[in-house]
Amino acid sequence: MSEVQAELGLPTHQLVTESLTRWGSRQKMIERFLEQEKAIVRVLGSDKKSRHLVPTWQDIEVLESVNKAVKPLQDFTDALSGEAYVSVSYIKPVLHLFKTNLLQPEEEDTELTKTIKRNIMQYLDDKYSDPVKNELLDMSSLMDPRFRTTYIDPDKVEQVKKRAVTELMSLSLPAEKSTPQQPGPAVQVSQGEAQPPPNKKMTLAAFFKKNVPESSSQQSEAVKVETELATYLLTPERANGSSALRWHRRLHHYQTLRESERAR
């Protein structure tokens, strides 16, 4: 096999065997077979015992059709199989990309390739047609600064935003309703330790400090959450290659600094 590869100028790759425990191994096996087709045909045809195994043009056409339809999905499977980053917010954008580009039947596609693409897209549509799954994916896309409302059905955007406000409100309620911590046993402090700290020297800036009206304290919690959500949706979009979690941490740090400046 290596001698024939060198003679034909093909890469000296070994054939790939399908593994039942590894998704995508069949596609890799087919792709490697098509790459080494000429070498395989010559090796099998040179032996009378294996000459009947030489693939026909119909076999090659079927393999090419299957590989063309399935190969784009292999790349996305590897990208979405990460454990160190969030990928659930990518589902809706990927489905949109499949439907409008990668799994869209083309004129030069064979009928088999078109059928495979349609069947895969139909399977994905059925898989994510459940309303509960759709709500989860919409919320995940909304919370990702790279996508937000781009891939949400326009008729459902306001509904998703209202649900986001409701869930954010429910997260803040337990902190407000939490019972105050019970005082512990009294601890006697010596006379030396009980001395009050020395007065801090006032800075020059303190004399020019203006009292900022706290209008936000008069707003209801729902209005505050809606304002924060609207501000989030108006912030500049992030590149798809950037980390959504890192972006949220930076935004949270900026908001904390802004709140501390307001409190001064």
Side-chain angles (χ1 to χ4, degrees), residues 32 47 58 92 96 141 168 186 196 222 224 226 233 242 256 260:
R32 181 61 54 81
D47 189 353
Q58 293 94 336
K92 279 226 162 184
H96 177 78
S141 298
L168 290 173
K224 293 180 183 179
E226 291 175 357
L233 294 176
S242 60
T256 304
S260 61

Side-chain angles (χ1 to χ4, degrees), residues 146-209:
R146 296 164 294 187
F147 310 122
R148 304 180 193 179
T149 59
T150 303
Y151 299 98
I152 300 177
D153 187 351
D155 297 334
K156 298 181 179 179
V157 171
E158 291 301 324
Q159 179 182 354
V160 174
K161 290 167 62 176
K162 290 180 180 178
R163 184 187 169 197
V165 172
T166 303
E167 293 193 8
L168 290 173
M169 289 279 296
S170 65
L171 292 176
S172 62
L173 289 178
E176 297 176 355
K177 294 183 179 181
S178 60
T179 57
Q181 186 177 0
Q182 296 297 333
V187 180
Q188 293 183 355
V189 183
S190 62
Q191 189 67 20
E193 296 176 354
Q195 294 179 359
N199 295 330
K200 295 182 179 180
K201 183 179 178 179
M202 293 187 63
T203 60
L204 183 62
F207 292 95
F208 298 93
K209 185 178 180 180

Side-chain angles (χ1 to χ4, degrees), residues 70-241:
V70 178
K71 180 174 172 52
L73 306 181
Q74 175 68 29
D75 300 333
F76 278 94
T77 300
D78 295 338
L80 291 175
S81 299
E83 297 180 355
Y85 53 88
V86 178
S87 58
V88 64
S89 58
Y90 268 105
I91 295 180
K92 279 226 162 184
V94 168
L95 291 176
H96 177 78
L97 182 62
F98 284 171
K99 184 178 295 186
T100 59
N101 188 356
L102 298 180
L103 292 181
Q104 184 71 21
E106 301 175 358
E107 294 182 1
E108 61 271 15
D109 289 344
T110 63
E111 287 300 323
L112 179 58
T113 301
K114 294 179 181 179
T115 302
I116 294 175
K117 288 182 176 181
R118 284 194 294 265
N119 290 341
I120 294 175
M121 200 65 241
Q122 183 63 41
Y123 169 79
L124 293 175
D125 288 338
D126 295 341
K127 183 177 180 62
Y128 295 102
S129 62
D130 182 66
V132 178
K133 291 182 180 179
N134 251 311
E135 291 178 1
L136 174 62
L137 297 180
D138 287 338
M139 188 64 63
S140 302
S141 298
L142 180 69
M143 293 295 101
D144 196 317
R146 296 164 294 187
F147 310 122
R148 304 180 193 179
T149 59
T150 303
Y151 299 98
I152 300 177
D153 187 351
D155 297 334
K156 298 181 179 179
V157 171
E158 291 301 324
Q159 179 182 354
V160 174
K161 290 167 62 176
K162 290 180 180 178
R163 184 187 169 197
V165 172
T166 303
E167 293 193 8
L168 290 173
M169 289 279 296
S170 65
L171 292 176
S172 62
L173 289 178
E176 297 176 355
K177 294 183 179 181
S178 60
T179 57
Q181 186 177 0
Q182 296 297 333
V187 180
Q188 293 183 355
V189 183
S190 62
Q191 189 67 20
E193 296 176 354
Q195 294 179 359
N199 295 330
K200 295 182 179 180
K201 183 179 178 179
M202 293 187 63
T203 60
L204 183 62
F207 292 95
F208 298 93
K209 185 178 180 180
K210 295 181 180 180
N211 294 326
V212 181
E214 299 180 357
S215 58
S216 59
S217 62
Q218 300 176 358
Q219 297 177 348
S220 63
E221 192 67 23
V223 174
K224 293 180 183 179
V225 174
E226 291 175 357
T227 303
E228 289 295 330
L229 180 60
T231 303
Y232 160 73
L233 294 176
L234 291 175
T235 51
E237 295 184 357
R238 301 297 298 172
N240 289 341

